[in-house]
Amino acid sequence: MGAVTSTMAAKFAFFPPNPPSYGVEEEEGTGRLRMTEVPERDNVDVLRLGTGKGTKIVAVYVKNPAASLTLLYSHGNAADLGQMYDLFCELSLHLRVNLMGYDYSGYGQSTGKPSEHNTYADIEAAYRCLVEKYGAKEEDVILYGQSVGSGPTLDLASRLARLRAVVLHSPILSGLRVMYPVKRTYWFDIFKNIDKIRLVQCPVLVIHGTADDVVDFSHGKQLWELCKEKYEPLWVKGGNHCDLELYPEYIKHLKKFIAAVEKSSHLRNGSIPSMDQMDNPRNSTDCRPRPSTDQREKSRLSTDQREKPRAISDLKEKSRASVDRKERSRKSMDYAEKANNNAEQPEKARNSIDRFGDMMRSAVLCNIDCFKPVGAKA
């Protein structure tokens, strides 16, 4: 059994960009940190944060003076802060939120090695910084998890009773379920989102492409079905794993969600409009401790049903086009919202990137495969 489980665990891997897409420099005299290879902005703080695992991670905090809410963004498997930087700035601008993004241990200029448990320590360090340095309140924080980032996002969300909201972008049910249609949760599985989603007490928005060939659409759909407090999901027709930001409905639906969250009162007093009008009281003000996945848990039945088997070869990481950072222009988001909102015309939808701040020209914005077998060729 030990040999089998160790073999299974070896199939999971993290893929930080190599070399990192950015560097970090310290200004003489002030000690202020700045990122290289990206435009310097007055409203962006660059930080180094210590984690409970002893690593130092790099984070960015994008300030918006009009913001009442703060988004804590956990990116996907094959990206780092340099590649996500423009998207973070555009989301902060158009959603009118403060936004913190961070690199996992072993990603970008963060020290250490990437692992499931390190990502949990990483997001805790980022959240602690929001509270202690920037004065963010739990009830004003929205956690955003993309792809593999749904793992640390749901782990933290399951332990914060007064969290404002959660966004899951192309999320996974669990690491093992990305590759195999298992019906049980095994102790050696990682990122057990299928179990943790039931513990989340706040509104949850799920975004997933119906043509996702990395993490099957069934993952997002089942997680949404398991939510206690559902918000109208966004199923992007024809959307893949790496291109959802290119569809006009992506930013429109996010803005609608943020607006609904802003209008909602303290979460103990009610819920925001949801698909099935669910109202759920908050039963605790304390963070729930996380059960250690290092322990050999008994295999248990889950609600994982009818997931299509996936060939390991389907999980190969897609190549990322290089980012032309020298040609960026700001264009009004209003133009993007007037664009054709017909998901049946993906080519027109993809052109919306030019109207969404020209964030990452010539690049696939979220080319973030979850897992691929060790030794697989890119």
Coordinates of all heavy atoms in Angstrom, one line a residue, residues 274-310:
S274 N -29.0 35.0 -4.6 CA -28.4 33.7 -5.1 C -29.3 33.0 -6.0 O -30.5 33.3 -6.1 CB -28.0 32.9 -3.9 OG -29.1 32.5 -3.2
M275 N -28.8 32.0 -6.6 CA -29.5 31.2 -7.6 C -30.8 30.6 -7.0 O -31.8 30.6 -7.6 CB -28.6 30.1 -8.2 CG -29.1 29.5 -9.5 SD -29.1 30.7 -10.9 CE -29.4 29.6 -12.2
D276 N -30.6 30.1 -5.8 CA -31.7 29.4 -5.2 C -32.2 30.1 -4.0 O -33.0 29.5 -3.2 CB -31.4 27.9 -4.9 CG -30.1 27.8 -4.0 OD1 -29.6 28.9 -3.6 OD2 -29.7 26.7 -3.8
Q277 N -31.8 31.4 -3.8 CA -32.3 32.2 -2.7 C -32.0 31.6 -1.3 O -32.9 31.6 -0.5 CB -33.8 32.5 -2.8 CG -34.2 33.2 -4.1 CD -33.5 34.5 -4.3 OE1 -33.5 35.3 -3.3 NE2 -32.9 34.8 -5.4
M278 N -30.8 31.0 -1.2 CA -30.5 30.4 0.1 C -30.1 31.4 1.1 O -29.3 32.3 0.8 CB -29.4 29.4 -0.2 CG -29.7 28.2 -1.1 SD -28.4 27.1 -1.4 CE -28.2 26.4 0.2
D279 N -30.5 31.2 2.3 CA -30.1 32.0 3.5 C -29.5 31.1 4.5 O -30.1 30.2 4.9 CB -31.2 32.8 4.1 CG -31.8 33.9 3.2 OD1 -30.9 34.6 2.6 OD2 -33.0 34.0 3.0
N280 N -28.2 31.4 4.9 CA -27.6 30.5 5.8 C -27.0 31.3 7.0 O -26.2 32.2 6.8 CB -26.4 29.8 5.1 CG -26.9 28.8 4.1 OD1 -27.3 27.7 4.5 ND2 -26.9 29.1 2.8
P281 N -27.4 31.0 8.2 CA -26.8 31.7 9.4 C -25.4 31.3 9.6 O -25.0 30.2 9.2 CB -27.7 31.2 10.5 CG -28.2 29.8 10.1 CD -28.4 30.0 8.6
R282 N -24.6 32.2 10.2 CA -23.2 31.9 10.5 C -23.2 31.4 11.9 O -23.7 32.1 12.8 CB -22.4 33.2 10.4 CG -22.5 33.9 9.0 CD -22.1 32.8 7.9 NE -22.1 33.5 6.6 CZ -23.1 33.5 5.8 NH1 -24.3 33.0 6.1 NH2 -23.0 34.1 4.6
N283 N -22.7 30.3 12.1 CA -22.7 29.6 13.4 C -21.6 29.9 14.3 O -21.6 29.6 15.5 CB -22.9 28.1 13.2 CG -24.2 27.8 12.5 OD1 -25.2 28.4 12.7 ND2 -24.1 26.8 11.5
S284 N -20.5 30.4 13.8 CA -19.3 30.6 14.6 C -18.5 31.8 14.1 O -18.4 32.1 13.0 CB -18.4 29.3 14.5 OG -17.2 29.5 15.1
T285 N -17.8 32.4 15.1 CA -17.0 33.5 14.7 C -15.5 33.1 14.7 O -14.6 33.9 14.5 CB -17.1 34.7 15.7 OG1 -16.8 34.2 17.1 CG2 -18.5 35.2 15.7
D286 N -15.2 31.9 15.0 CA -13.9 31.4 15.1 C -13.5 30.7 13.8 O -14.3 30.1 13.2 CB -13.7 30.4 16.3 CG -14.0 31.1 17.6 OD1 -13.7 32.3 17.7 OD2 -14.6 30.5 18.5
C287 N -12.2 30.8 13.5 CA -11.6 30.0 12.4 C -11.6 28.5 12.8 O -11.1 28.2 13.9 CB -10.2 30.4 12.1 SG -10.2 32.1 11.4
R288 N -12.0 27.7 12.0 CA -12.0 26.2 12.3 C -10.6 25.7 12.0 O -10.0 26.0 10.9 CB -13.0 25.5 11.5 CG -14.5 25.7 11.9 CD -15.4 25.0 11.1 NE -15.6 25.6 9.8 CZ -16.4 26.6 9.6 NH1 -17.2 27.1 10.6 NH2 -16.5 27.2 8.4
P289 N -10.1 24.9 12.8 CA -8.8 24.3 12.5 C -8.8 23.3 11.3 O -9.9 22.8 11.1 CB -8.4 23.5 13.8 CG -9.7 23.2 14.4 CD -10.6 24.4 14.1
R290 N -7.7 23.2 10.6 CA -7.7 22.3 9.4 C -7.2 21.0 9.8 O -6.1 20.8 10.4 CB -6.8 22.9 8.4 CG -6.6 22.1 7.2 CD -5.7 22.7 6.1 NE -4.3 22.8 6.6 CZ -3.8 23.9 7.0 NH1 -4.4 25.1 6.8 NH2 -2.5 24.0 7.4
P291 N -8.0 19.9 9.6 CA -7.5 18.6 9.8 C -6.3 18.3 9.0 O -6.2 18.7 7.8 CB -8.7 17.7 9.4 CG -9.8 18.6 9.4 CD -9.3 19.9 9.0
S292 N -5.3 17.7 9.5 CA -4.0 17.4 8.8 C -4.3 16.3 7.7 O -4.8 15.2 8.1 CB -2.9 17.0 9.7 OG -1.8 16.6 9.0
T293 N -3.9 16.6 6.5 CA -4.0 15.6 5.5 C -2.8 14.6 5.5 O -2.7 13.7 4.7 CB -4.1 16.2 4.1 OG1 -3.0 17.1 3.9 CG2 -5.4 16.9 3.9
D294 N -1.9 14.9 6.5 CA -0.7 14.0 6.6 C -1.2 12.7 7.3 O -0.5 11.6 7.2 CB 0.4 14.6 7.5 CG 1.1 15.7 6.7 OD1 1.1 15.6 5.4 OD2 1.6 16.6 7.3
Q295 N -2.3 12.8 8.0 CA -2.8 11.6 8.8 C -3.5 10.7 7.8 O -4.0 11.1 6.8 CB -3.8 12.0 9.8 CG -3.2 12.9 10.9 CD -4.3 13.5 11.8 OE1 -5.5 13.2 11.6 NE2 -3.9 14.2 12.8
R296 N -3.5 9.4 8.1 CA -4.1 8.4 7.2 C -5.6 8.4 7.5 O -6.0 7.6 8.3 CB -3.4 7.1 7.4 CG -2.0 7.1 7.1 CD -1.5 5.7 6.8 NE -0.1 5.7 6.3 CZ 0.4 4.7 5.6 NH1 -0.3 3.6 5.4 NH2 1.7 4.7 5.2
E297 N -6.3 9.2 6.7 CA -7.7 9.2 6.9 C -8.4 8.0 6.3 O -7.9 7.5 5.3 CB -8.3 10.5 6.2 CG -7.7 11.7 6.7 CD -8.1 12.9 5.9 OE1 -9.1 12.8 5.2 OE2 -7.4 13.9 5.9
K298 N -9.4 7.6 6.8 CA -10.2 6.5 6.2 C -10.8 6.9 4.9 O -11.3 8.0 4.8 CB -11.3 6.0 7.2 CG -10.7 5.3 8.4 CD -11.9 4.8 9.3 CE -11.3 4.2 10.6 NZ -12.5 3.7 11.4
S299 N -10.7 6.1 3.9 CA -11.4 6.4 2.7 C -12.9 6.5 2.9 O -13.5 5.8 3.6 CB -11.1 5.3 1.6 OG -9.7 5.2 1.4
R300 N -13.5 7.6 2.3 CA -14.9 7.7 2.5 C -15.6 8.1 1.2 O -15.0 8.6 0.3 CB -15.2 8.9 3.5 CG -14.6 10.2 3.1 CD -14.6 11.1 4.3 NE -14.0 12.4 4.0 CZ -12.7 12.7 4.1 NH1 -11.9 11.7 4.4 NH2 -12.2 13.8 3.8
L301 N -16.9 7.7 1.1 CA -17.6 8.0 -0.1 C -17.8 9.5 -0.2 O -18.0 10.2 0.8 CB -19.0 7.3 0.1 CG -19.0 5.8 -0.1 CD1 -20.4 5.3 0.2 CD2 -18.6 5.4 -1.5
S302 N -17.8 10.0 -1.4 CA -18.0 11.4 -1.7 C -19.2 11.5 -2.7 O -19.7 10.5 -3.1 CB -16.8 12.1 -2.3 OG -16.6 11.6 -3.6
T303 N -19.5 12.7 -3.0 CA -20.6 12.9 -4.0 C -20.1 13.0 -5.4 O -20.8 13.4 -6.3 CB -21.4 14.2 -3.6 OG1 -20.4 15.3 -3.6 CG2 -22.1 14.1 -2.3
D304 N -18.8 12.6 -5.5 CA -18.2 12.6 -6.9 C -18.9 11.6 -7.7 O -18.8 10.4 -7.5 CB -16.7 12.3 -6.7 CG -16.0 12.5 -8.0 OD1 -16.5 13.1 -8.9 OD2 -14.8 12.1 -8.1
Q305 N -19.6 12.1 -8.7 CA -20.4 11.2 -9.6 C -20.2 11.4 -11.1 O -20.1 12.6 -11.5 CB -21.9 11.3 -9.3 CG -22.2 11.0 -7.8 CD -23.7 11.3 -7.6 OE1 -24.4 11.9 -8.4 NE2 -24.1 11.0 -6.4
R306 N -20.1 10.4 -11.8 CA -20.1 10.4 -13.3 C -19.0 11.3 -13.9 O -19.2 12.0 -14.9 CB -21.5 10.9 -13.8 CG -22.6 9.9 -13.4 CD -23.9 10.3 -14.0 NE -24.3 11.6 -13.4 CZ -25.0 11.7 -12.3 NH1 -25.3 10.6 -11.6 NH2 -25.4 12.8 -11.9
E307 N -17.9 11.5 -13.2 CA -16.8 12.2 -13.8 C -16.1 11.4 -14.8 O -15.8 10.3 -14.7 CB -15.8 12.7 -12.7 CG -14.7 13.6 -13.3 CD -13.7 14.0 -12.2 OE1 -14.0 13.8 -11.1 OE2 -12.7 14.6 -12.6
K308 N -15.9 12.0 -16.0 CA -15.3 11.3 -17.1 C -13.9 11.0 -16.8 O -13.1 11.9 -16.3 CB -15.4 12.2 -18.4 CG -16.9 12.4 -18.8 CD -16.9 13.3 -20.0 CE -18.4 13.6 -20.4 NZ -18.4 14.4 -21.6
P309 N -13.4 9.8 -17.2 CA -12.0 9.5 -17.0 C -11.2 10.4 -17.9 O -11.6 10.8 -19.0 CB -11.9 8.0 -17.5 CG -13.3 7.5 -17.5 CD -14.2 8.7 -17.7
R310 N -10.0 10.8 -17.3 CA -9.1 11.7 -18.1 C -7.8 11.1 -18.3 O -7.2 10.5 -17.4 CB -8.9 13.0 -17.3 CG -10.2 13.8 -17.1 CD -10.0 15.1 -16.5 NE -9.2 15.9 -17.3 CZ -9.5 16.5 -18.5 NH1 -10.8 16.3 -18.9 NH2 -8.7 17.2 -19.2

